[in-house]
Amino acid sequence: MKFCSHCGGVLSQYIPPGDNRLRYVCGGCQTIHYQNPRIVAGCLPIWEDQVLLCRRAIEPRRGYWTLPAGFMENSETMQQAAARETLEEACARVRHLDLYTLFDLPHISQVYVFFRAELLDLDFCAGDESLEVRLFHEADIPWSELAFPTVGRTLECYFADRVAQTYPVRNESLEALRAHYKKA
Ligand code: ZN
């Protein structure tokens, strides 16, 4: 960040009085430009004993499989964001969204949240950001071709929890993700 989005003035970085972190501050209008983590919301769409995955048509990780997810927009709830991303990426409608996994990724200042969701019908197709959308049985999950460890870990949790038919909300650690990375 170099210039102020309010007045076009030059920004400098320092700790403002009363604060304890480096901030971008405008030399012109004195506006402090705070930067905060971004939330990625997504769904784990379920149809009978299968789950829906999308093959990414965009970078990063083009060609790899993912759960439909994306950055939350202003003025929407997390559930709305997850359902909207599912509609955009998989042209799929979901209902009964239940909070399932939450990943803090402080190293990239992101928070990932996935909801378990019931796929409404089989009328889905690849949206603009997907090359392909399809349902997978557990045995067919392309574990080594998943786009992100948060996706792999959410699927791992789901297939494990499905055995007992109980789905506690899981606030997963970076260590769990790293373990998944090593296995994949
Ligand atoms: Zn300014």
Side-chain angles (χ1 to χ4, degrees):
M1 229 196 293
K2 280 204 172 106
F3 299 106
C4 177
S5 53
H6 291 297
C7 74
V10 177
L11 300 177
S12 47
Q13 227 186 356
Y14 61 87
I15 301 174
D19 203 338
N20 55 13
R21 286 168 192 266
L22 278 176
R23 308 287 184 189
Y24 287 101
V25 185
C26 177
C29 70
Q30 307 303 318
T31 297
I32 302 172
H33 295 271
Y34 294 98
Q35 293 181 302
N36 299 100
R38 298 209 284 174
I39 294 172
V40 176
C43 279
L44 167 54
I46 297 154
W47 178 267
E48 294 172 355
D49 62 342
Q50 299 179 86
V51 300
L52 180 138
L53 296 177
C54 309
R55 203 152 72 85
R56 289 171 65 83
I58 54 169
E59 296 293 349
R61 306 289 280 165
R62 187 177 195 278
Y64 286 80
W65 291 93
T66 188
L67 292 167
F71 291 113
M72 197 175 169
E73 300 285 1
N74 290 340
S75 308
E76 67 183 357
T77 65
M78 235 186 281
Q79 289 200 14
Q80 286 167 344
R84 175 183 52 73
E85 290 291 341
T86 305
L87 187 62
E88 287 175 4
E89 295 180 9
C91 308
R93 282 146 299 275
V94 286
R95 64 178 175 186
H96 304 323
L97 279 67
D98 282 319
L99 181 60
Y100 189 43
T101 52
L102 189 157
F103 302 93
D104 289 298
L105 306 178
H107 58 300
I108 51 171
S109 297
Q110 291 182 3
V111 177
Y112 266 72
V113 178
F114 285 103
F115 294 84
R116 285 184 301 113
E118 183 186 320
L119 194 57
L120 210 59
D121 53 49
L122 293 175
D123 185 20
F124 58 78
C125 64
D128 288 342
E129 295 178 6
S130 305
L131 297 169
E132 190 184 345
V133 174
R134 54 164 283 203
L135 292 170
F136 287 88
H137 291 282
E138 181 180 4
D140 302 324
I141 297 287
W143 293 105
S144 62
E145 293 164 45
L146 297 179
F148 307 109
T150 51
V151 170
R153 184 63 192 146
T154 296
L155 291 171
E156 242 174 27
C157 292
Y158 175 68
F159 292 123
D161 288 345
R162 195 171 69 173
V163 176
Q165 292 282 306
T166 58
Y167 304 94
V169 173
R170 292 164 172 272
N171 189 349
E172 290 280 305
S173 67
L174 282 174
E175 285 67 33
L177 287 179
R178 289 201 188 97
H180 173 78
Y181 247 137
K182 275 179 203 135
K183 210 160 67 178

